[in-house]
C-alpha cells in the first residue's frame, strides 16, 4: 500500500465521451470511502494542470452524487493541450519561426510544480491515446499516474474495451431504427455515417446490431458496384428499403482517402466528415442509370431510387451513458484508485477477457506516435465473418 498518497487529482482530457462523470464519481467515492483520501478535480484537462490553483475543485461524496447518468464531464475537457509541446501564442495567434513553422515550448514542468504546490500526490488521467501519451510522459517525469481508457472509437490495443463505445453503438443503432421509418415509407436507401476515426468498430457493431445491409469501414476495401448490388437485393426484397452504415474514415467510392479537413483543432491535425454523401450519390447514380425497359430503376413501386445520408456525429457521444458503460466506468474508476494505492502508478487500467488489470503506460503508448497502439477492426476477425454470414456486405 502506498501510504505516501494522501490527495489525488483527477482530470479528463480529449473529446467528451459518455461515462466520464461515472469515472469521476467512482474514483472520488472509492478514494474517500475506501482509502480516506482527499480528492481534487482538475478542470479543463491539461490546460487546467498548467493554470493550477484556479482550476482545482474539491470533489466530495456530495459533489459527485447524481452525476453517473450525466453526459460530458463536470471537469470539462481540453482537446489538444499537450504541455510537452505547447504552441507559443501572442496577440496575433500562433507564433511561427522564420520558416513559417509553429514554435512549441515544453511547459510540463509548470504542471509538475502545480501538483507539488497543491499537495497532489497522484493523478488519475481519463482520456484516449493523446491524453494518455502525456500521462505516460508525466509518469516518466516521476508523477504518480494511473490512466483510464476513454474513447467511443474502441481502438486502443491495450484493453478489450474502452468506455463510451457501448453508448455510441447504442445511439447509432437507435438512429438507424429511426431511419428505417423513412426508408420503409419511401423505399429509400438510408445511409448513416458514424464516428470512429480510422477504426470501423462503431460502424461494424452498429451494422450487426441494426441489421444493416452494408457496412463500409476503413480497414476493408470495398467495390461500390458490390455495394449497389447488395442494396438492390434489399430494394427488391419484401422490405423494399436498404440501410447502409459508413464509417467516417472509410474511403470514398472511387477509393480515395476518407473525406475530411485538416485542422489545428485536432491533436493529429485532421477530422473526418462527409464520405456518406459521396456514397449516397454513387448509389443513386448507378441504380438510376441502369433502368429496365419500363424506365423503372427497381420496380413499378420504386421507379427512381433516392439515397439519403445522415451524419450522426456528436450525437453518438452525447447524452447519458448506457448501463453497460456506467458499470464499466464504475469498475474502471474504482480499480484505478486500487491500482494507484497498490503502487501501479505508471499504468492504465484495462479489461482483458473480462478481468480488470493494469497495463504499463509505456506499453499502452510505446512510441512518440500517439496512434502507436492503435487497434483496427481485424478484417479476418469473428465479427467481420459474422457480418458476412448475416448478409451484410463489408467490402472486398
Ligand atoms: O475519438 C473520438 C471521436 O469522436 C472520433 O470518433 C471523431 O472522429 C472525433 O472524436 C471527433 O472529434 P471532435 O469532436 O474534436 O471533432
Amino acid at each position: 500500500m502506498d501510504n505516501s498518497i494522501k490527495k489525488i487529482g483527477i482530470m479528463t482530457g480529449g473529446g467528451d465521451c459518455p461515462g466520464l462523470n461515472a469515472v469521476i464519481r467512482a474514483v472520488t467515492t472509492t478514494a474517500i470511502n475506501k482509502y480516506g483520501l482527499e480528492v481534487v478535480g482538475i478542470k479543463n484537462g491539461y490546460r487546467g494542470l498548467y493554470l493550477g490553483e484556479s482550476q482545482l475543485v474539491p470533489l466530495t461524496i456530495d459533489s459527485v452524487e447524481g452525476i453517473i447518468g450525466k453526459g460530458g464531464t463536470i471537469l470539462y475537457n481540453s482537446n489538444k493541450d499537450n504541455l510537452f509541446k505547447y504552441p507559443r501564442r501572442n496577440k496575433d495567434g500562433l507564433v511561427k519561426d522564420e520558416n513559417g513553422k509553429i514554435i512549441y515550448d515544453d511547459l510540463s514542468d509548470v504542471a509538475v510544480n502545480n501538483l507539488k504546490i497543491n499537495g497532489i500526490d497522484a493523478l488519475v488521467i481519463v482520456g484516449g491515446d493523446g491524453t494518455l501519451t502525456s500521462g505516460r510522459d508525466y509518469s516518466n517525469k516521476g508523477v504518480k499516474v494511473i490512466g483510464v481508457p476513454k474513447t467511443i472509437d474502441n481502438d486502443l490495443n491495450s484493453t478489450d474495451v474502452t468506455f463510451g463505445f457501448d453508448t455510441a453503438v447504442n445511439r447509432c443503432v437507435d438512429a438507424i431504427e429511426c431511419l428505417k421509418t423513412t426508408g420503409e415509407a419511401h423505399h429509400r436507401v438510408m445511409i448513416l455515417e458514424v464516428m470512429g476515426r480510422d477504426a470501423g468498430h462503431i460502424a461494424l457493431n452498429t451494422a450487426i446490431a441494426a441489421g444493416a445491409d452494408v457496412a463500409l469501414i476503413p480497414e476493408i476495401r470495398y467495390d461500390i458496384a458490390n455495394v449497389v448490388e447488395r442494396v438492390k437485393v434489399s430494394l427488391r426484397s419484401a422490405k423494399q428499403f436498404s440501410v447502409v452504415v459508413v464509417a467516417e474514415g472509410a474511403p470514398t467510392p472511387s477509393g480515395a482517402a476518407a473525406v475530411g479537413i485538416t485542422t489545428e483543432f485536432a491533436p493529429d491535425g485532421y477530422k473526418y466528415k462527409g464520405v456518406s454523401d459521396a456514397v449516397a450519390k454513387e448509389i443513386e447514380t448507378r441504380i438510376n442509370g441502369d433502368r429496365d425497359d419500363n424506365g423503372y430503376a427497381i420496380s413499378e413501386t420504386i421507379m427512381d431510387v433516392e439515397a439519403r445520408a445522415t451524419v450522426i456525429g456528436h450525437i453518438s457521444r452525447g447524452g447519458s451513458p448506457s448501463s453497460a458503460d456506467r458499470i464499466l466506468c464504475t469498475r474502471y474508476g474504482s480499480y484505478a484508485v486500487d491500482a494507484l494505492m497498490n503502487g501501479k502508478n505508471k499504468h492504465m487500467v484495462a479489461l482483458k477477457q473480462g478481468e480488470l488489470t493494469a497495463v504499463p503506460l509505456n506499453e499502452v503508448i510505446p512510441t512518440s506516435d500517439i496512434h502507436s497502439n492503435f487497434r483496427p477492426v481485424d478484417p479476418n476477425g469473428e465479427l467481420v465473418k459474422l457480418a458476412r454470414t448475416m448478409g451484410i456486405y463489408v467490402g472486398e
Side-chain angles (χ1 to χ4, degrees):
M1 176 85 110
D2 187 345
N3 290 319
S4 68
I5 299 178
K6 306 276 184 234
K7 183 175 177 179
I8 62 170
I10 175 166
M11 51 157 284
T12 54
D16 58 272
C17 180
L20 285 165
N21 286 324
V23 174
I24 294 168
R25 174 179 175 270
V27 166
T28 304
T29 307
T30 305
I32 294 171
N33 283 353
K34 193 165 172 185
Y35 298 101
L37 304 178
E38 210 180 314
V39 187
V40 62
I42 299 156
K43 291 194 282 184
N44 296 307
Y46 287 115
R47 190 172 308 157
L49 212 50
Y50 173 71
L51 294 173
E53 201 175 343
S54 66
Q55 302 297 303
L56 304 183
V57 46
L59 293 177
T60 62
I61 299 291
D62 277 353
S63 64
V64 298
E65 187 60 47
I67 65 170
I68 191 167
K70 189 172 155 50
T73 161
I74 59 164
L75 295 175
Y76 315 106
N77 280 22
S78 63
N79 209 352
K80 45 177 240 129
D81 281 323
N82 176 2
L83 298 181
F84 290 85
K85 196 179 169 208
Y86 202 76
R88 197 180 295 174
R89 285 170 188 270
N90 63 18
K91 69 175 176 46
D92 300 320
L94 296 175
V95 179
K96 298 187 176 159
D97 66 14
E98 58 277 12
N99 300 316
K101 294 223 159 98
I102 297 170
I103 299 175
Y104 293 97
D105 296 306
D106 181 349
L107 304 177
S108 57
D109 283 341
V110 178
V112 175
N113 199 36
N114 277 334
L115 291 172
K116 272 197 197 120
I117 294 171
N118 291 286
I120 299 171
D121 305 309
L123 265 186
V124 181
I125 295 181
V126 192
D129 44 15
T131 306
L132 293 170
T133 302
S134 286
R136 174 202 63 186
D137 295 342
Y138 282 113
S139 77
N140 289 334
K141 273 178 102 101
V143 178
K144 293 179 178 173
V145 170
I146 186 84
V148 182
K150 168 230 78 160
T151 171
I152 61 166
D153 304 342
N154 203 26
D155 58 355
L156 196 60
N157 212 10
S158 299
T159 181
D160 291 348
V161 60
T162 55
F163 74 84
F165 174 65
D166 181 74
T167 306
V169 171
N170 279 316
R171 289 272 187 289
C172 294
V173 171
D174 286 349
I176 288 184
E177 291 308 324
C178 294
L179 292 176
K180 282 180 184 172
T181 305
T182 301
E184 189 169 28
H186 295 276
H187 309 312
R188 283 182 183 163
V189 182
M190 304 305 286
I191 301 169
L192 185 70
E193 177 176 320
V194 303
M195 283 185 159
R197 285 190 75 77
D198 298 302
H201 299 287
I202 296 177
L204 180 62
N205 282 267
T206 297
I208 293 172
D213 304 317
V214 176
L216 304 180
I217 60 175
E219 295 87 346
I220 304 179
R221 277 184 312 171
Y222 67 91
D223 183 339
I224 191 68
N226 293 336
V227 173
V228 167
E229 283 316 306
R230 178 63 190 85
V231 163
K232 278 181 168 178
V233 168
S234 283
L235 291 173
R236 290 193 173 118
S237 74
K239 71 175 186 182
Q240 294 192 94
F241 72 96
S242 182
V243 171
V244 174
V245 183
V246 184
E248 62 179 2
T252 67
S254 63
V259 179
I261 49 160
T262 53
T263 165
E264 59 168 276
F265 293 114
D268 44 11
Y270 58 94
K271 293 191 179 200
Y272 293 136
K273 188 178 169 198
V275 66
S276 54
D277 282 332
V279 173
K281 189 157 181 270
E282 198 63 25
I283 290 174
E284 266 185 17
T285 308
R286 286 183 182 238
I287 298 183
N288 293 326
D290 179 25
R291 294 168 184 275
D292 64 17
D293 293 342
N294 299 311
Y296 301 153
I298 297 293
S299 63
E300 57 188 354
T301 49
I302 314 181
M303 294 192 293
D304 306 293
V305 168
E306 200 174 339
R308 298 292 288 270
T310 301
V311 180
I312 189 166
H314 295 93
I315 292 170
S316 58
R317 67 181 212 212
S320 201
S322 66
S323 300
D325 268 332
R326 294 180 193 205
I327 293 167
L328 180 64
C329 290
T330 305
R331 292 176 77 193
Y332 274 164
S334 190
Y335 190 75
V337 181
D338 287 339
L340 252 189
M341 296 310 283
N342 288 309
K344 299 269 170 125
N345 56 44
K346 285 176 164 235
H347 286 69
M348 180 193 83
V349 298
L351 201 68
K352 298 240 167 132
Q353 291 168 345
E355 299 284 324
L356 286 165
T357 183
V359 185
L361 281 165
N362 284 329
E363 267 175 41
V364 175
I365 312 284
T367 73
S368 57
D369 174 4
I370 64 168
H371 301 308
S372 54
N373 204 5
F374 172 68
R375 181 188 50 211
V377 168
D378 176 0
N380 302 309
E382 188 239 316
L383 276 193
V384 171
K385 288 184 184 146
L386 175 67
R388 290 193 173 124
T389 303
M390 299 315 293
I392 302 172
Y393 175 70
V394 198
E396 294 283 35

